[in-house]
Amino acid sequence: MSRYTGPSFKKARRVGFSISETGKELARHPYGPGQHGNARKGKLSDYGTQLKEKQKVRFMYGLNEKQFRKTFNEAGKMSGIHGENFLKLLESRLDNIVYRLGFSTTRRGARQLVNHGHITVNGKKVDIPSYRCKPGDVIAIKENSKEHKAMKEALEKTTKRVEFVTFDENKLSGTYVRYPERSELNMDINESLIVEFYNK
């Protein structure tokens, strides 16, 4: 399955969840897209509820189904709670850390920055968005990309960052300090439903 590249607002309205985590997608139209999006819909089955939760998280992090399932399976091999480990692995992706540091206002934009070779990890260029960062890794803008217009604009708009990353404004670099706690991640996600979906 190829990655979806269409309007993110349509996807957000379809699952009734702000995949940008800003709430903008649902502010004006808090119902599904299309002519009948505002019509009353029947109650979802257990399977439908689990599928919707899975799609919410997949759309939010911008993964295709194959990548999403592979990450889920890797989380199952770790010690601890499967669902929480899954979210931690998703948060550890390089494109997500670039987004969390404020180099881009969206995860989709962050993925593009990585793909185009503007980002370094511990001083080495990495152009793989799915690259898994480890606590202690230093993520920075490549030296000859520091005047990149989109990144400068995104950094100017960033007023707050999550506590599991730190940022040095002078060096335009950040550190992935530690894995996030569950309480620091989106509380509108019920990861246990995703575990139930895949464990059927």
Side-chain angles (χ1 to χ4, degrees), residues 112-149:
Q112 191 175 47
L113 290 177
V114 177
N115 272 328
H116 291 183
H118 295 299
I119 302 298
T120 64
V121 179
N122 300 326
K124 295 181 180 180
K125 187 183 83 171
V126 178
D127 57 7
I128 303 168
S130 61
Y131 177 88
R132 188 164 299 149
C133 297
K134 302 179 183 67
D137 282 351
V138 177
I139 295 88
I141 300 174
K142 202 168 67 169
E143 194 61 38
N144 60 2
S145 298
K146 288 189 174 179
E147 295 303 314
H148 191 286
K149 184 181 177 183

Side-chain angles (χ1 to χ4, degrees), residues 4-155:
Y4 176 77
T5 57
S8 59
F9 275 38
K10 182 185 267 189
K11 284 289 185 185
R13 289 174 60 196
R14 185 175 131 196
V15 294
F17 173 77
S18 174
I19 59 179
S20 69
E21 298 185 277
T22 62
K24 289 180 181 178
E25 304 99 323
L26 307 177
R28 288 183 62 191
H29 304 287
Y31 47 82
Q35 182 180 353
H36 304 291
N38 205 15
R40 182 178 293 177
K41 289 188 171 69
K43 186 179 178 183
L44 284 173
S45 64
D46 288 345
Y47 173 81
T49 303
Q50 293 161 4
L51 175 63
K52 185 177 180 181
E53 201 67 24
K54 190 257 300 185
Q55 296 294 68
K56 276 166 53 174
V57 179
R58 189 167 74 80
F59 295 157
M60 183 172 129
Y61 287 99
L63 276 66
N64 61 35
E65 180 60 36
K66 186 177 179 181
Q67 289 175 310
F68 196 75
R69 182 64 190 263
K70 181 183 178 184
T71 306
F72 177 84
N73 290 341
E74 289 175 8
K77 297 173 184 175
M78 298 165 61
S79 60
I81 302 171
H82 193 165
E84 290 187 15
N85 288 337
F86 181 44
L87 294 181
K88 287 177 184 178
L89 291 185
L90 292 172
E91 283 288 329
S92 299
R93 286 172 55 95
L94 178 57
D95 54 359
N96 184 74
I97 298 296
V98 168
Y99 164 71
R100 292 295 193 189
L101 286 170
F103 294 150
S104 175
T105 55
T106 65
R107 287 186 176 88
R108 184 182 288 187
R111 186 160 50 250
Q112 191 175 47
L113 290 177
V114 177
N115 272 328
H116 291 183
H118 295 299
I119 302 298
T120 64
V121 179
N122 300 326
K124 295 181 180 180
K125 187 183 83 171
V126 178
D127 57 7
I128 303 168
S130 61
Y131 177 88
R132 188 164 299 149
C133 297
K134 302 179 183 67
D137 282 351
V138 177
I139 295 88
I141 300 174
K142 202 168 67 169
E143 194 61 38
N144 60 2
S145 298
K146 288 189 174 179
E147 295 303 314
H148 191 286
K149 184 181 177 183
M151 277 193 277
K152 289 179 77 173
E153 289 176 354
L155 286 169

